Amino acid sequence: FSPGLLVVAGSFAAFRLLNRGLERLVPPPPSARRNRWKWRNIWTSLAHSALPDTHNLSPCRFYLHPEMSKDLVGTHPPGAHSLVAVSVGYFLEDFVDMLCNQKLHQSWELLFHHSVVIICFGIAVLLHQYVGFALVALLVEINSIFLHLRQILLMANLVDTTCYRLNSLINLGTYVVFRIATLAWMTRWLFLNRQNVPPATYAVGTVGMAIMTPMNIILFYRLLRSDFFK
């Protein structure tokens, strides 16, 4: 039994409660009332991406703890383990939310994505290792802020606005930096450190990168086509 599992369970419950109460906090506009659960789901995801002490401070953690960039297996700053456990709880909650409210053929890509993340982050939480590697992966969530804002603006029928166009530019810029470049760096790190990583963990990490990289490239193409080449 790992105390990190308590943090995972608490995070799952907290995000579940937030999801239930979001419709009162952020009432859906008329254009989103036919898909109320999706409105709540996106705002819950935005709340996770914008947590003040998680992904937004991840770059600062590497600056304040330079030793972590050299050892992503056994080195991590205080609170980093709990941060990863909180994210596992969120991804579990989002997995359950989509499974209960959306048809499988509409959500299988995200369910597949979440399954990979839960497995990889779960290993870090249970073993108290590779937490630094998980923190690098959480840099992706900086882009998720603008990705979720894009969905909110779409649901609110605010496509033809300056806010949407500005968000689209920032979304693509952060996508390249915090998704594509970050995943490329993680893949390179795995390759260079394959001698220091147990075969089973290396296999999980390699499969995870092999799945995530093409998924993110495809999503980038869809965003580019939708927002700029339409």
Side-chain angles (χ1 to χ4, degrees), residues 94-191:
D94 201 44
F95 187 97
V96 171
D97 193 38
M98 286 189 292
L99 203 61
C100 294
N101 294 287
Q102 200 170 27
K103 293 179 180 179
L104 188 59
H105 74 272
Q106 294 175 316
S107 61
W108 71 269
E109 289 183 44
L110 275 176
L111 291 174
F112 191 51
H113 168 275
H114 284 16
S115 299
V116 174
V117 174
I118 290 165
I119 291 170
C120 293
F121 282 18
I123 290 173
V125 171
L126 290 172
L127 300 182
H128 284 258
Q129 290 186 316
Y130 311 101
V131 175
F133 193 73
L135 280 182
V136 175
L138 284 176
L139 290 173
V140 168
E141 292 299 316
I142 295 176
N143 166 253
S144 293
I145 295 172
F146 306 101
L147 202 58
H148 298 319
L149 277 174
R150 177 182 179 275
Q151 289 181 291
I152 289 169
L153 292 170
L154 279 171
M155 291 192 72
N157 278 340
L158 296 173
V159 178
D160 299 319
T161 62
T162 303
C163 184
Y164 183 87
R165 289 191 291 272
L166 180 61
N167 184 74
S168 294
L169 290 170
I170 298 173
N171 183 33
L172 284 183
T174 55
Y175 199 105
V176 172
V177 175
F178 293 109
R179 281 188 184 268
I180 295 175
T182 297
L183 287 173
W185 189 92
M186 292 170 67
T187 303
R188 176 180 176 273
W189 184 91
L190 267 178
F191 178 77

